């Protein structure tokens, strides 16, 4: 019978000295994300998260959006078709408009501020809603970096000092409304497009530019098909490590604690690696012939913040929340 067989298997496993679950018994944790395997978040998940849960879970990441298209992962988790993703506030804002506060330009100040906000009680209601209504648990916050404007045009062809200089510039932004609004707030003409299509679009001139942190510009080799980077730092970008709530509920308390710690440790390792890259990569990019310079950042900040505050987005932000977020920064 099945019971007898299972008991026999358990005996043979313990005879072999193994206490860990066999591969067949392990919980499978498939993660889908558009990031490449060499992106620092991916490296941290593979090298830190996976091994830390290996006793009871088989971590199976799918990078480059090969399992699910960018932006469809949350729904896949909600429908029990996927266990994990590295999601964004922009994607969550599609379901819960109040998440747009974390997508607004010039709100988060730096990596430490992101962590302080995520771990503060002000996040409790956000996390709870995502669990209750989407069946997704947000485990930890990952640092993507300061997003910069990266264009095909040389500085001679177009020098960008203020948002007005971006008028008519066809800027690829990721594909949700929150991202398009940010592109408009920067003064550009935003075009939605999946991350995996951006390199070719830059190469062929289908778009004039894109925005991402410097480590992404290097990792995705956008420097091969662009000529300048304007250091607007318009969004200190974050991601959340997302796990199916159903999977979470199926874990023992010890396993839950291990998953939580693995996620926090991976986020921290990825954050430190990404911060270092952000600093180190300026000279690498310059060696590749990129022109990198600071615009009038105050002009960008004023316009972006002003546009958000006047927008419908701000109408969905809980009263006093922006002040609480600001108070957790410098
Ligand atoms: C992008 O599409 O530009 C973006 O940077 C958006 C982020 O939220 C994140 O999903 C990221 O892509 C991917 O992980 C690829 O690095």
């Amino acid at each position: 019978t099945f019971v007898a067989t299972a008991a026999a298997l358990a005996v043979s496993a313990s005879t072999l000295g193994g206490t860990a679950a066999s591969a067949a018994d392990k919980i499978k944790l498939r993660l889908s994300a558009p990031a490449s395997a060499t992106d620092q978040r991916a490296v941290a998940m593979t090298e830190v998260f996976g091994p830390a849960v290996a006793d009871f879970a088989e971590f199976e990441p799918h990078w480059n959006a090969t399992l699910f298209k960018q932006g469809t992962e949350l729904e896949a988790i909600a429908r029990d078709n996927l266990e994990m993703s590295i999601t964004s506030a922009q994607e969550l804002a599609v379901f819960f408009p109040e998440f747009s506060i974390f997508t607004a330009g010039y709100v988060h100040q730096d990596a430490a501020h992101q962590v302080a906000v995520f771990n503060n009680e002000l996040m409790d209601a956000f996390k709870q809603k995502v669990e209750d209504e989407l069946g997704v648990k947000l485990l930890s916050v990952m640092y993507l970096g300061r997003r910069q404007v990266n264009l095909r045009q040389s500085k001679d062809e177009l020098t960008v000092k203020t948002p007005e200089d971006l008028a008519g510039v066809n800027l690829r932004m990721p594909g949700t409304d929150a991202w398009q609004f940010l592109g408009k707030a920067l003064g550009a003409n935003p075009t939605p497009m999946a991350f995996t299509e951006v390199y070719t679009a830059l190469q062929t001139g289908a778009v004039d530019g894109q925005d991402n942190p410097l480590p992404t510009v290097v990792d995705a080799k956008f420097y091969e098909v662009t000529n300048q980077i304007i250091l607007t730092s318009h969004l200190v970008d974050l991601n959340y490590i997302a796990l199916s709530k159903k999977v979470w509920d199926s874990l023992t308390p010890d396993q839950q604690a291990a998953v939580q710690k693995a996620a926090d440790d991976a986020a921290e390792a990825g954050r430190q690696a990404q911060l270092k890259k952000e600093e180190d990569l300026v000279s690498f990019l310059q060696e590749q012939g990129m022109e990198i310079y600071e615009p009038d950042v105050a002009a960008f900040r004023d316009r972006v913040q002003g546009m958000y505050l006047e927008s419908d987005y701000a109408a969905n932000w809980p009263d006093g929340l922006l002040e609480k977020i600001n108070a957790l920064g410098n």
Side-chain angles (χ1 to χ4, degrees):
T1 65
F2 174 78
V3 174
T5 313
L9 280 174
V11 170
S12 69
S14 64
T15 321
L16 291 168
T19 48
S22 72
D25 292 338
K26 285 189 187 182
I27 300 153
K28 202 169 220 181
L29 297 178
R30 291 167 308 152
L31 179 148
S32 183
S36 77
T38 48
D39 174 291
Q40 293 311 301
R41 293 162 303 164
V43 170
M45 290 305 288
T46 306
E47 293 182 358
V48 180
F49 181 85
V53 299
D55 272 356
F56 58 91
E58 189 190 340
F59 179 58
E60 185 189 287
H62 296 260
W63 307 115
N64 299 307
T66 42
L67 197 56
F68 286 94
K69 279 191 188 154
Q70 183 176 28
T72 64
E73 303 92 340
L74 284 173
E75 208 161 322
I77 297 176
R79 294 184 180 194
D80 296 336
N81 291 327
L82 179 69
E83 291 76 44
M84 295 185 76
S85 187
I86 299 176
T87 192
S88 64
Q90 290 81 2
E91 285 161 355
L92 286 159
V94 172
F95 301 92
F96 313 108
E98 62 271 33
F99 264 92
S100 64
I101 197 162
F102 306 119
T103 73
Y106 301 105
V107 169
H108 282 114
Q109 299 169 7
D110 53 29
H113 190 201
Q114 291 178 346
V115 175
V117 170
F118 186 78
N119 293 332
N120 189 273
E121 60 184 16
L122 71 83
M123 273 310 285
D124 292 352
F126 285 87
K127 292 172 184 166
Q128 196 63 52
K129 201 163 181 188
V130 179
E131 279 180 32
D132 295 347
E133 294 181 27
L134 211 53
V136 171
K137 190 168 170 68
L138 303 179
L139 290 171
S140 206
V141 65
M142 291 195 125
Y143 179 71
L144 185 56
R146 285 169 286 153
R147 293 182 84 96
Q148 318 293 4
V149 175
N150 171 210
L151 302 180
R152 296 179 79 223
Q153 288 95 330
S154 69
K155 198 180 170 203
D156 273 354
E157 289 167 331
L158 177 65
T159 302
V160 178
K161 284 285 167 202
T162 68
E164 287 67 40
D165 298 321
L166 284 176
V169 169
N170 193 359
L171 187 68
R172 175 272 171 178
M173 298 294 287
T176 73
D177 291 350
W179 283 115
Q180 302 310 296
F181 187 82
L182 180 60
K184 267 188 221 137
L186 287 169
N189 183 16
T191 305
M193 186 182 290
F195 182 75
T196 43
E197 290 165 23
V198 177
Y199 183 95
T200 308
L202 290 168
Q203 192 174 38
T204 60
V207 293
D208 295 321
Q210 66 90 31
D211 85 308
N212 257 297
L214 300 188
T216 305
V217 173
V218 173
D219 192 60
K221 297 194 164 58
F222 293 151
Y223 61 85
E224 292 178 350
V225 287
T226 57
N227 289 298
Q228 64 165 308
I229 294 175
I230 305 128
L231 297 170
T232 46
S233 296
H234 51 273
L235 183 71
V236 183
D237 203 9
L238 58 75
N239 291 111
Y240 305 111
I241 301 177
L243 171 69
S244 152
K245 175 76 166 47
K246 202 168 181 181
V247 169
W248 173 264
D249 288 341
S250 76
L251 301 173
T252 66
D254 281 354
Q255 290 171 340
Q256 288 182 344
V259 165
Q260 182 61 61
K261 183 173 175 350
D264 289 338
D265 289 352
E268 182 58 20
R271 180 162 36 248
Q272 293 313 324
Q274 194 79 336
L275 282 166
K276 186 161 184 332
K277 278 197 175 278
E278 243 182 335
E279 214 165 280
D280 294 349
L281 288 176
V282 176
S283 53
F284 170 81
L285 285 163
Q286 282 165 338
E287 282 159 24
Q288 307 308 308
M290 298 290 293
E291 293 176 285
I292 305 182
Y293 59 98
E294 276 203 19
D296 180 349
V297 176
F300 275 96
R301 185 184 294 115
D302 287 352
R303 177 179 150 109
V304 169
Q305 289 183 338
M307 279 191 60
Y308 273 93
L309 289 177
E310 285 168 19
S311 73
D312 290 347
Y313 288 109
N316 287 306
W317 299 348
D319 272 351
L321 189 63
L322 188 58
E323 291 73 14
K324 275 190 203 158
I325 293 172
N326 290 339
L328 292 169
N330 296 313

